[in-house]
Amino acid sequence: MAISALCNLGKTTQGQELMLMPPMLNDLKKVAAKSDIIRYRVFEVITKIASESDTALQYVTNSSLIQDLLKDLNCDDVLIQLNAAEMLTNLAMCQHGLMYLSQQGIVGRMESMMVEAESDPLQDFLLPATIKFFGHLARMEPNEIIEKHTAFLKTTFNLLSSQDPAMVGVAVDTIGAIGESAAGKRALDKQGQRMIDGVCRLGTLMQQPPTEIRSRTLTAIAQLLQIKLEEQNEDLVSLTEKWFNLLHSKPLDTIHSMCKQPFREIHCPAMSILQAIANQKWAQILMNSQPGFHEYLLDRSTETDKEEKEAKFDVIKALAEAPTSGEIFGRPFLLRLKEFVREGAFYVKVQSEVAFEAS
């Protein structure tokens, strides 16, 4: 509660002045000196404040508190290094914060930590934190980060084949997050064979236990395949089609089968893939020729809970609104899709019953 109050106070220039200048600054430093746990509570506050604006970052810098956080990246305690890396990831998510960290040499230091962690078993639990750090950066500036920090994607793709599910999960999430934007898709495609092998690996992971990795992989695939209508062009659409076909010898059969599974953790992210590709003509052609797909889409009885019903509704809404649906599916089926959308996700058809009395 105290952290929340301090963060709220730090959202205004007046609050920043009050907190990050004596006498309150002196009190913060005294509190931070009590233990590592409390020190990192203070670091949490100042990184959140620093993320607010350039002015806020300047106040934090002048306080010298953030310099103490930066020093922790170079200490001998790996747990403290891990905490520092995670804290600095939050600051790196804003443009002015990223620029500051670059100027201080922190981005380069994080890359060195990542390379060292990959080769040193004693430091390997630093990998998720450093991968997440670069993943957030690459989501904002995919071309610059991927081209400048080549070890990042190399390590991320390697982790897809790790024996540690935690490492695999971080790699899957990172690739999906980067590939969500059009610029990210292009940057990943520039990786050539590495990305091709990576997508093939995602196709394997989406079918193998544990369930959590399958679910996260399906979500990442949906991120890679979705393209906003206004961003669609021949190159991007060809790219998503290529990636889709790398997933499996019969990818739509596999995804369709997963959509029919009664397990929400698989069912819903599989449906999100259908939603992601529903506005792309190549995918509509596949869906239209998929045996039983029309009937499955319009059958409300296949989903039993709120999340599943909403997932199917999102697929049908995407198809109903796609400009090429009438051409591919035909007007009668399109009208049925639009009727489904008008009725809503939770529509239940009332069965009228007529009672006949014995004469």
Side-chain angles (χ1 to χ4, degrees):
M1 192 168 181
I3 290 175
S4 178
L6 289 171
C7 290
N8 286 332
L9 179 63
K11 287 182 178 180
T12 65
T13 303
Q14 293 87 344
Q16 292 154 16
E17 281 188 29
L18 178 65
M19 285 178 59
L20 299 170
M21 294 180 70
M24 193 169 176
L25 174 60
N26 297 334
D27 293 335
L28 270 179
K29 289 183 176 181
K30 286 178 184 176
V31 169
K34 290 185 176 181
S35 71
D36 284 340
I37 292 176
I38 296 175
R39 190 160 63 96
Y40 268 83
R41 293 289 183 266
V42 173
F43 287 157
E44 181 182 349
V45 171
I46 65 161
T47 51
K48 285 183 177 178
I49 292 172
S51 299
E52 292 289 333
S53 66
D54 280 316
T55 303
L57 176 58
Q58 192 60 54
Y59 276 113
V60 170
T61 304
N62 292 341
S63 76
S64 79
L65 284 168
I66 196 166
Q67 285 82 346
D68 293 336
L69 174 58
L70 301 184
K71 288 176 185 175
D72 278 359
L73 276 184
N74 296 306
C75 75
D76 295 329
D77 189 323
V78 182
L79 282 176
I80 290 179
Q81 280 186 305
L82 176 62
N83 288 328
E86 291 177 342
M87 204 66 68
L88 291 171
T89 297
N90 297 329
L91 182 56
M93 290 174 69
C94 61
Q95 200 63 50
H96 64 274
L98 173 57
M99 186 177 298
Y100 171 77
L101 294 177
S102 296
Q103 290 168 350
Q104 300 300 312
I106 298 303
V107 178
R109 173 63 186 136
M110 292 285 268
E111 185 172 29
S112 298
M113 287 170 61
M114 179 176 59
V115 173
E116 291 164 11
E118 189 180 19
S119 59
D120 184 353
L122 296 177
Q123 298 188 58
D124 65 356
F125 60 90
L126 285 172
L127 267 179
T130 53
I131 292 291
K132 285 178 185 177
F133 177 84
F134 281 103
H136 284 300
L137 304 194
R139 192 173 190 176
M140 294 189 298
E141 301 286 347
N143 285 309
E144 180 180 345
I145 297 301
I146 289 172
E147 288 176 9
K148 192 172 181 180
H149 303 281
T150 54
F152 157 57
L153 264 191
K154 178 178 178 292
T155 302
T156 303
F157 280 118
N158 287 344
L159 288 181
L160 287 176
S161 299
S162 171
Q163 298 302 307
D164 183 347
M167 298 292 190
V168 175
V170 169
V172 165
D173 295 344
T174 300
I175 291 169
I178 296 171
E180 193 167 17
S181 68
K185 287 175 174 58
R186 294 188 184 99
L188 288 172
D189 187 47
K190 288 180 182 177
Q191 299 300 301
Q193 190 61 43
R194 187 178 290 165
M195 182 58 183
I196 289 172
D197 293 342
V199 175
C200 291
R201 179 63 181 157
L202 292 178
T204 300
L205 291 171
M206 74 179 185
Q207 300 175 77
Q208 294 181 345
T211 298
E212 182 190 350
I213 296 299
R214 292 185 68 194
S215 180
R216 290 164 73 175
T217 301
L218 291 167
T219 299
I221 290 169
Q223 290 174 304
L224 289 174
L225 297 179
Q226 64 90 27
I227 317 174
K228 296 175 183 176
L229 270 176
E230 61 271 21
E231 293 181 337
Q232 286 191 16
N233 58 42
E234 187 176 345
D235 290 342
L236 270 183
V237 172
S238 296
L239 180 59
T240 55
E241 182 179 12
K242 178 181 78 173
W243 285 348
F244 184 76
N245 287 323
L246 287 171
L247 294 171
H248 192 273
S249 57
K250 294 183 177 180
L252 188 57
D253 282 355
T254 306
I255 302 300
H256 188 193
S257 174
M258 291 180 184
C259 290
K260 295 177 180 179
Q261 292 187 17
F263 312 109
R264 185 192 309 163
E265 298 85 352
I266 302 300
H267 178 103
C268 290
M271 292 295 285
S272 73
I273 293 179
L274 296 183
Q275 181 192 358
I277 61 177
N279 64 1
Q280 299 175 56
K281 189 173 180 178
W282 63 264
Q284 293 180 349
I285 292 170
L286 289 177
M287 291 177 186
N288 192 45
S289 60
Q290 177 72 9
F293 191 77
H294 287 205
E295 295 77 10
Y296 168 73
L297 273 185
L298 297 173
D299 185 354
R300 291 182 179 271
S301 69
T302 56
E303 282 68 38
T304 57
D305 67 17
K306 180 178 181 291
E307 191 175 344
E308 292 175 357
K309 289 178 183 293
E310 288 175 337
K312 176 178 272 192
F313 180 82
D314 289 341
V315 174
I316 292 175
K317 188 171 185 288
L319 284 171
E321 294 175 352
T324 53
S325 289
E327 173 193 348
I328 303 303
F329 292 100
R331 182 166 175 75
F333 186 68
L334 177 60
L335 290 175
R336 294 180 70 187
L337 293 176
K338 290 185 174 182
E339 181 184 14
F340 191 111
V341 173
R342 280 196 303 272
E343 291 169 346
F346 308 109
Y347 173 79
V348 177
K349 187 174 182 180
V350 178
Q351 298 290 339
S352 54
E353 296 180 0
V354 181
F356 294 93
E357 291 186 7
S359 54

